[in-house]
Amino acid sequence: MAGGLITIAQFRDLPEAGLAKSRLESAGITCFLDNEFTIGANWLYSNALGGVKLNVPEENAEEAKAILEETTESMASEASEESEEHLEDSACPVCGATEIETKNYTRKFAALTLLISLPLLLFWKRYGCKSCGHRWK
Ligand SMILES: [Zn+2]
């Protein structure tokens, strides 16, 4: 009965991983995030570490995956509601393009801080270059 932990999902960003974790936990599934604290301490390392892995007990894997699929869909629609402002006065530090998008995770962070009690910054804005895909804070 007692199986090991298996990784059912991998996230590049801690907010997404935390949301998925909270969804699973609210459904009664115990889960663990790998790299959580390392990435929380320094976001720049998240890519180097391969993101945040979401692990669940083997016996809950199928159920957890089903929940995550719903989560992904709802997160996708939520993401489309997020404001994307064009910053005239910003340029990509890599390629110099001014086609910049911003994502404001303030709302997600506020929820996450409550849900997983991590000392996260409450205000976090991320920039992404539409030209080369480079992302930075
Ligand atoms: Zn760029």
Side-chain angles (χ1 to χ4, degrees):
M1 181 70 190
L5 291 176
I6 64 173
T7 301
I8 59 162
Q10 197 161 329
F11 301 90
R12 194 163 162 182
D13 297 315
L14 187 56
E16 290 180 22
L19 277 180
K21 183 182 186 221
S22 66
R23 297 282 174 104
L24 293 184
E25 285 179 343
S26 69
I29 298 177
T30 306
C31 55
F32 308 91
L33 294 180
D34 261 7
N35 298 339
E36 180 173 27
F37 295 104
T38 313
I39 292 174
N42 192 335
W43 288 93
L44 296 178
Y45 288 155
S46 78
N47 287 345
L49 291 173
V52 186
K53 288 176 183 153
L54 181 63
N55 299 322
V56 300
E58 215 166 350
E59 61 266 27
N60 295 128
E62 288 307 313
E63 189 185 354
K65 279 182 196 169
I67 291 169
L68 282 189
E69 273 169 30
E70 292 172 21
T71 305
T72 304
E73 280 169 27
S74 64
M75 275 176 54
S77 60
E78 188 180 305
S80 66
E81 292 167 13
E82 279 176 10
S83 61
E84 283 196 10
E85 25 175 320
H86 294 272
L87 301 182
E88 304 295 336
D89 57 346
S90 287
C92 172
V94 172
C95 71
T98 52
E99 289 280 299
I100 304 301
E101 60 179 355
T102 65
K103 292 201 185 282
N104 195 328
Y105 288 95
T106 306
R107 197 176 30 153
K108 285 181 181 175
F109 259 107
L112 277 173
T113 306
L114 290 174
L115 287 169
I116 61 181
S117 305
L118 279 177
L120 299 173
L121 295 174
L122 274 176
F123 301 100
W124 178 50
K125 207 166 193 179
R126 208 167 183 206
Y127 301 91
C129 175
K130 288 189 173 176
S131 183
C132 71
H134 180 66
R135 294 190 176 276
W136 70 98
K137 285 200 290 191

PDB file of all heavy atoms in Angstrom, residues 91-100 128-136, ligand 1:
ATOM      1  N   ALA A  91      12.934  48.082 -21.862  1.00  0.00           N
ATOM      2  CA  ALA A  91      13.438  47.310 -22.993  1.00  0.00           C
ATOM      3  C   ALA A  91      14.064  46.028 -22.458  1.00  0.00           C
ATOM      4  O   ALA A  91      14.513  45.960 -21.316  1.00  0.00           O
ATOM      5  CB  ALA A  91      14.466  48.115 -23.775  1.00  0.00           C
ATOM      6  N   CYS A  92      14.070  45.007 -23.304  1.00  0.00           N
ATOM      7  CA  CYS A  92      14.667  43.739 -22.919  1.00  0.00           C
ATOM      8  C   CYS A  92      16.178  43.912 -22.716  1.00  0.00           C
ATOM      9  O   CYS A  92      16.853  44.449 -23.580  1.00  0.00           O
ATOM     10  CB  CYS A  92      14.398  42.707 -24.006  1.00  0.00           C
ATOM     11  SG  CYS A  92      15.269  41.157 -23.749  1.00  0.00           S
ATOM     12  N   PRO A  93      16.682  43.457 -21.565  1.00  0.00           N
ATOM     13  CA  PRO A  93      18.120  43.584 -21.318  1.00  0.00           C
ATOM     14  C   PRO A  93      18.961  42.681 -22.212  1.00  0.00           C
ATOM     15  O   PRO A  93      20.171  42.846 -22.306  1.00  0.00           O
ATOM     16  CB  PRO A  93      18.266  43.189 -19.845  1.00  0.00           C
ATOM     17  CG  PRO A  93      17.093  42.330 -19.572  1.00  0.00           C
ATOM     18  CD  PRO A  93      15.980  42.846 -20.440  1.00  0.00           C
ATOM     19  N   VAL A  94      18.318  41.725 -22.858  1.00  0.00           N
ATOM     20  CA  VAL A  94      19.084  40.801 -23.696  1.00  0.00           C
ATOM     21  C   VAL A  94      19.127  41.271 -25.146  1.00  0.00           C
ATOM     22  O   VAL A  94      20.188  41.423 -25.733  1.00  0.00           O
ATOM     23  CB  VAL A  94      18.499  39.375 -23.614  1.00  0.00           C
ATOM     24  CG1 VAL A  94      19.161  38.472 -24.636  1.00  0.00           C
ATOM     25  CG2 VAL A  94      18.689  38.821 -22.212  1.00  0.00           C
ATOM     26  N   CYS A  95      17.961  41.506 -25.722  1.00  0.00           N
ATOM     27  CA  CYS A  95      17.940  41.832 -27.147  1.00  0.00           C
ATOM     28  C   CYS A  95      17.544  43.277 -27.414  1.00  0.00           C
ATOM     29  O   CYS A  95      17.606  43.739 -28.538  1.00  0.00           O
ATOM     30  CB  CYS A  95      17.017  40.889 -27.912  1.00  0.00           C
ATOM     31  SG  CYS A  95      15.269  41.155 -27.572  1.00  0.00           S
ATOM     32  N   GLY A  96      17.119  44.000 -26.377  1.00  0.00           N
ATOM     33  CA  GLY A  96      16.808  45.404 -26.558  1.00  0.00           C
ATOM     34  C   GLY A  96      15.418  45.683 -27.106  1.00  0.00           C
ATOM     35  O   GLY A  96      15.040  46.832 -27.321  1.00  0.00           O
ATOM     36  N   ALA A  97      14.621  44.627 -27.332  1.00  0.00           N
ATOM     37  CA  ALA A  97      13.287  44.824 -27.863  1.00  0.00           C
ATOM     38  C   ALA A  97      12.416  45.547 -26.843  1.00  0.00           C
ATOM     39  O   ALA A  97      12.586  45.389 -25.636  1.00  0.00           O
ATOM     40  CB  ALA A  97      12.663  43.485 -28.218  1.00  0.00           C
ATOM     41  N   THR A  98      11.491  46.357 -27.329  1.00  0.00           N
ATOM     42  CA  THR A  98      10.612  47.075 -26.409  1.00  0.00           C
ATOM     43  C   THR A  98       9.237  46.419 -26.325  1.00  0.00           C
ATOM     44  O   THR A  98       8.340  46.937 -25.690  1.00  0.00           O
ATOM     45  CB  THR A  98      10.457  48.543 -26.851  1.00  0.00           C
ATOM     46  OG1 THR A  98      10.071  48.572 -28.225  1.00  0.00           O
ATOM     47  CG2 THR A  98      11.768  49.290 -26.681  1.00  0.00           C
ATOM     48  N   GLU A  99       9.093  45.287 -26.984  1.00  0.00           N
ATOM     49  CA  GLU A  99       7.843  44.541 -26.870  1.00  0.00           C
ATOM     50  C   GLU A  99       7.878  43.744 -25.567  1.00  0.00           C
ATOM     51  O   GLU A  99       8.265  42.576 -25.545  1.00  0.00           O
ATOM     52  CB  GLU A  99       7.670  43.594 -28.052  1.00  0.00           C
ATOM     53  CG  GLU A  99       7.374  44.299 -29.347  1.00  0.00           C
ATOM     54  CD  GLU A  99       5.906  44.678 -29.432  1.00  0.00           C
ATOM     55  OE1 GLU A  99       5.071  43.762 -29.396  1.00  0.00           O
ATOM     56  OE2 GLU A  99       5.599  45.882 -29.499  1.00  0.00           O
ATOM     57  N   ILE A 100       7.496  44.377 -24.494  1.00  0.00           N
ATOM     58  CA  ILE A 100       7.614  43.783 -23.168  1.00  0.00           C
ATOM     59  C   ILE A 100       6.237  43.492 -22.603  1.00  0.00           C
ATOM     60  O   ILE A 100       5.325  44.314 -22.710  1.00  0.00           O
ATOM     61  CB  ILE A 100       8.343  44.756 -22.209  1.00  0.00           C
ATOM     62  CG1 ILE A 100       9.692  45.146 -22.785  1.00  0.00           C
ATOM     63  CG2 ILE A 100       8.499  44.130 -20.830  1.00  0.00           C
ATOM     64  CD1 ILE A 100      10.624  44.003 -23.034  1.00  0.00           C
ATOM     65  N   GLY A 128       8.615  39.949 -19.317  1.00  0.00           N
ATOM     66  CA  GLY A 128       8.997  38.982 -20.329  1.00  0.00           C
ATOM     67  C   GLY A 128       9.147  39.659 -21.676  1.00  0.00           C
ATOM     68  O   GLY A 128       8.349  40.504 -22.043  1.00  0.00           O
ATOM     69  N   CYS A 129      10.182  39.280 -22.383  1.00  0.00           N
ATOM     70  CA  CYS A 129      10.408  39.854 -23.709  1.00  0.00           C
ATOM     71  C   CYS A 129       9.611  39.051 -24.735  1.00  0.00           C
ATOM     72  O   CYS A 129       9.714  37.833 -24.793  1.00  0.00           O
ATOM     73  CB  CYS A 129      11.889  39.817 -24.050  1.00  0.00           C
ATOM     74  SG  CYS A 129      12.234  40.366 -25.733  1.00  0.00           S
ATOM     75  N   LYS A 130       8.809  39.747 -25.544  1.00  0.00           N
ATOM     76  CA  LYS A 130       8.017  39.043 -26.551  1.00  0.00           C
ATOM     77  C   LYS A 130       8.864  38.672 -27.754  1.00  0.00           C
ATOM     78  O   LYS A 130       8.468  37.890 -28.590  1.00  0.00           O
ATOM     79  CB  LYS A 130       6.841  39.917 -26.990  1.00  0.00           C
ATOM     80  CG  LYS A 130       5.787  40.019 -25.915  1.00  0.00           C
ATOM     81  CD  LYS A 130       4.533  40.696 -26.424  1.00  0.00           C
ATOM     82  CE  LYS A 130       3.444  40.621 -25.364  1.00  0.00           C
ATOM     83  NZ  LYS A 130       2.224  41.344 -25.774  1.00  0.00           N
ATOM     84  N   SER A 131      10.025  39.267 -27.834  1.00  0.00           N
ATOM     85  CA  SER A 131      10.879  39.042 -28.994  1.00  0.00           C
ATOM     86  C   SER A 131      11.744  37.802 -28.820  1.00  0.00           C
ATOM     87  O   SER A 131      11.751  36.904 -29.651  1.00  0.00           O
ATOM     88  CB  SER A 131      11.742  40.278 -29.227  1.00  0.00           C
ATOM     89  OG  SER A 131      12.519  40.115 -30.380  1.00  0.00           O
ATOM     90  N   CYS A 132      12.490  37.735 -27.689  1.00  0.00           N
ATOM     91  CA  CYS A 132      13.416  36.616 -27.519  1.00  0.00           C
ATOM     92  C   CYS A 132      12.995  35.682 -26.391  1.00  0.00           C
ATOM     93  O   CYS A 132      13.608  34.645 -26.187  1.00  0.00           O
ATOM     94  CB  CYS A 132      14.833  37.128 -27.260  1.00  0.00           C
ATOM     95  SG  CYS A 132      15.053  37.872 -25.628  1.00  0.00           S
ATOM     96  N   GLY A 133      11.954  36.053 -25.651  1.00  0.00           N
ATOM     97  CA  GLY A 133      11.478  35.163 -24.597  1.00  0.00           C
ATOM     98  C   GLY A 133      12.207  35.307 -23.280  1.00  0.00           C
ATOM     99  O   GLY A 133      11.890  34.625 -22.313  1.00  0.00           O
ATOM    100  N   HIS A 134      13.156  36.184 -23.203  1.00  0.00           N
ATOM    101  CA  HIS A 134      13.891  36.395 -21.959  1.00  0.00           C
ATOM    102  C   HIS A 134      12.946  36.921 -20.881  1.00  0.00           C
ATOM    103  O   HIS A 134      12.074  37.730 -21.158  1.00  0.00           O
ATOM    104  CB  HIS A 134      15.023  37.401 -22.197  1.00  0.00           C
ATOM    105  CG  HIS A 134      15.828  37.688 -20.965  1.00  0.00           C
ATOM    106  ND1 HIS A 134      16.609  36.739 -20.358  1.00  0.00           N
ATOM    107  CD2 HIS A 134      15.945  38.822 -20.215  1.00  0.00           C
ATOM    108  CE1 HIS A 134      17.179  37.287 -19.284  1.00  0.00           C
ATOM    109  NE2 HIS A 134      16.800  38.541 -19.174  1.00  0.00           N
ATOM    110  N   ARG A 135      13.128  36.400 -19.663  1.00  0.00           N
ATOM    111  CA  ARG A 135      12.280  36.866 -18.566  1.00  0.00           C
ATOM    112  C   ARG A 135      13.146  37.372 -17.434  1.00  0.00           C
ATOM    113  O   ARG A 135      14.207  36.844 -17.173  1.00  0.00           O
ATOM    114  CB  ARG A 135      11.384  35.731 -18.068  1.00  0.00           C
ATOM    115  CG  ARG A 135      10.397  35.331 -19.116  1.00  0.00           C
ATOM    116  CD  ARG A 135       9.331  34.388 -18.607  1.00  0.00           C
ATOM    117  NE  ARG A 135       8.380  34.139 -19.688  1.00  0.00           N
ATOM    118  CZ  ARG A 135       7.362  34.950 -19.960  1.00  0.00           C
ATOM    119  NH1 ARG A 135       7.147  36.000 -19.208  1.00  0.00           N
ATOM    120  NH2 ARG A 135       6.552  34.675 -20.962  1.00  0.00           N
ATOM    121  N   TRP A 136      12.653  38.400 -16.810  1.00  0.00           N
ATOM    122  CA  TRP A 136      13.425  38.963 -15.686  1.00  0.00           C
ATOM    123  C   TRP A 136      12.463  39.665 -14.760  1.00  0.00           C
ATOM    124  O   TRP A 136      11.278  39.806 -15.045  1.00  0.00           O
ATOM    125  CB  TRP A 136      14.512  39.903 -16.210  1.00  0.00           C
ATOM    126  CG  TRP A 136      14.010  41.187 -16.787  1.00  0.00           C
ATOM    127  CD1 TRP A 136      13.951  42.406 -16.164  1.00  0.00           C
ATOM    128  CD2 TRP A 136      13.488  41.396 -18.101  1.00  0.00           C
ATOM    129  NE1 TRP A 136      13.432  43.342 -17.006  1.00  0.00           N
ATOM    130  CE2 TRP A 136      13.141  42.758 -18.196  1.00  0.00           C
ATOM    131  CE3 TRP A 136      13.276  40.558 -19.205  1.00  0.00           C
ATOM    132  CZ2 TRP A 136      12.589  43.305 -19.353  1.00  0.00           C
ATOM    133  CZ3 TRP A 136      12.715  41.100 -20.363  1.00  0.00           C
ATOM    134  CH2 TRP A 136      12.395  42.457 -20.429  1.00  0.00           C
TER     135      TRP A 136
HETATM  136 ZN    ZN B   1      14.575  40.052 -25.678  1.00  0.00          ZN
END
